[in-house]
Amino acid sequence: MNRDQALFEFLLRMGDSTLILSHRISEWCGHAPVIEEDIALANTALDLIGQTQFWLELAGEVEGKGRTADNLAHLRDAWDFRNLLLVERPNGDFGKTLMRQFLFDVWQSLMLAKLKGSSDQRIADIAEKASKEVAYHVERSANTVISLGDGTEESHQRMQDALEDLYPYVGEMFIGDKVDEVLVKAGIAPDPASLRAEYDRIVGDVMYKATLQLPEDDFAHQGGKTGRHTEHLGYILADMQFLQRAYPGAEW
Amino acid sequence: MSNEWPLWEVFIRGQHGMSHRHVGSLHAADAESAMMNARDVYTRRNEGVSIWVVEAAHIAASAPGDKGPLFEPANSKVYRHPTFFDIPDDAGAM
């Protein structure tokens, strides 16, 4: 695998993860428990769409086959997506959505902090811009996880259930492969495993404040980063891609 | 007891040197989340550089019924407005 091939894969992993999570959160639009949270979730979804545009546009450029960010988002099938399995998990209740968001936000903020020092200036620039948005996301999701975890008996139980359900999807974020090896060597991206200690520290701290118990089992589902997805991604794509598939080339 | 979160009034300062202006209200469980909600609801289009949130219950307000005694006495006192002075052009906008 040469450098550009690895870079293309990596950019898809970044862009597809933000794209699919953005779509998932946008499903809350008009349905959140209170209007303030509704707006906040929509804002986060829009931030993530903005980041997706940067990642996928650069991916298309690196690939060199003339594909735009829109082409990549709307005209690939599930096995060509490289997003983390975590972000395609169903929303569940509001608390579970925010738990998933928090588990992702912490990873993303650590990843972007490293990417700001990437040897590839285009990546460093995207990371610089995105990390301000993500700093806010992580503050917001952490606060909500703490409030609901350390809230009523029912909210605590729901958050504990959400954590146990989602935690097996955390490990995938830190498992490296050939793609990462090439990029680490080129100074473009960090070794995913190198983010784990800091991640565990931050997540552990928030879970402690939220009075939630981290599962001890470290089992990790994986496959998203190489195109092996859960059944949920197909439904997301059917929803997201319908318009471009039914009316090819349609524009606003 | 109400299940609703308390109401907060939101004040935004548009730019440095200006004063905070009331922009609206929202519901939130505590000051910290009121601040975040204010950020999301009222500053999405780059409206501000500073946010204040105040729990609405802490604002003492004049009663609409007191409008007469409070404000009408000022009505007939035009001499309290500086409208009888000629403002030199050099002074610029007042």
Side-chain angles (χ1 to χ4, degrees), chain A residues 4 28 37 41 96 105 119 144 152 165 214 219 233 248:
Chain A
D4 274 355
W28 275 103
E37 297 295 342
L41 282 172
K96 188 168 178 181
D105 288 344
S119 63
T144 312
T152 65
D165 186 71
L214 271 176
F219 170 75
L233 183 63

Side-chain angles (χ1 to χ4, degrees), chain A residues 168-252:
Chain A
Y169 296 91
V170 163
E172 186 184 23
M173 302 191 275
F174 306 101
I175 300 171
D177 61 8
K178 278 259 159 40
V179 170
D180 299 296
E181 271 173 42
V182 174
L183 297 182
V184 169
K185 205 169 283 179
I188 293 175
D191 175 2
S194 69
L195 307 174
R196 181 89 210 215
E198 182 68 357
Y199 183 89
D200 285 346
R201 193 188 62 73
I202 296 170
V203 170
D205 183 49
V206 168
M207 292 310 154
Y208 175 77
K209 289 181 184 150
T211 70
L212 297 173
Q213 198 74 42
L214 271 176
E216 280 175 19
D217 191 352
D218 255 355
F219 170 75
H221 292 288
Q222 51 177 311
K225 292 201 281 191
T226 51
R228 288 175 293 121
H229 292 277
T230 64
E231 71 274 24
H232 303 293
L233 183 63
Y235 292 98
I236 295 174
L237 296 185
D239 199 0
M240 195 176 81
Q241 297 181 337
F242 166 78
L243 198 86
Q244 279 303 317
R245 300 292 195 176
Y247 305 92
E251 284 181 37
W252 284 110

Side-chain angles (χ1 to χ4, degrees), chain B residues 37-60:
Chain B
N37 287 344
R39 182 265 192 196
D40 277 312
V41 176
Y42 292 110
T43 68
R44 304 177 58 205
R45 296 177 188 86
N46 219 8
E47 290 93 336
V49 295
S50 168
I51 301 173
W52 286 350
V53 289
V54 182
E55 206 176 327
H58 292 152
I59 293 180

Side-chain angles (χ1 to χ4, degrees), chain A residues 34 36 39-40 43 46 136 139-140 143, chain B residues 5 26-27 32 36-37 39-41 44:
Chain A
V34 293
E36 289 84 354
I39 294 172
N43 281 349
L46 286 174
Y136 180 74
E139 193 184 339
R140 183 167 190 110
N143 279 350
Chain B
W5 288 335
L26 48 78
H27 289 93
E32 203 171 26
M36 292 201 155
N37 287 344
R39 182 265 192 196
D40 277 312
V41 176
R44 304 177 58 205

Side-chain angles (χ1 to χ4, degrees), chain A residues 21 25 44 48 86 97-112 133-142 173 199:
Chain A
L21 184 57
I25 317 173
T44 305
L48 293 173
L86 175 70
T97 293
L98 266 296
M99 178 62 81
R100 183 187 60 202
Q101 190 67 34
F102 171 70
L103 295 172
F104 178 81
D105 288 344
V106 176
W107 170 80
Q108 202 197 8
S109 70
L110 295 172
M111 181 55 126
L112 292 174
E133 295 169 346
V134 173
Y136 180 74
H137 299 168
V138 76
E139 193 184 339
R140 183 167 190 110
S141 60
M173 302 191 275
Y199 183 89

Side-chain angles (χ1 to χ4, degrees), chain B residues 12-89:
Chain B
I12 306 268
R13 186 166 73 193
Q15 41 180 295
H16 286 293
M18 305 285 278
S19 51
H20 285 73
R21 288 188 58 181
H22 183 240
V23 293
S25 52
L26 48 78
H27 289 93
D30 53 30
E32 203 171 26
S33 46
M35 188 68 81
M36 292 201 155
N37 287 344
R39 182 265 192 196
D40 277 312
V41 176
Y42 292 110
T43 68
R44 304 177 58 205
R45 296 177 188 86
N46 219 8
E47 290 93 336
V49 295
S50 168
I51 301 173
W52 286 350
V53 289
V54 182
E55 206 176 327
H58 292 152
I59 293 180
S62 61
D66 291 341
K67 208 169 74 178
L70 281 180
F71 306 118
E72 268 169 33
N75 268 351
S76 52
K77 301 185 173 62
V78 287
Y79 49 85
R80 288 185 179 167
H81 296 272
T83 46
F84 301 104
F85 298 97
D86 289 324
I87 299 167
D89 290 342

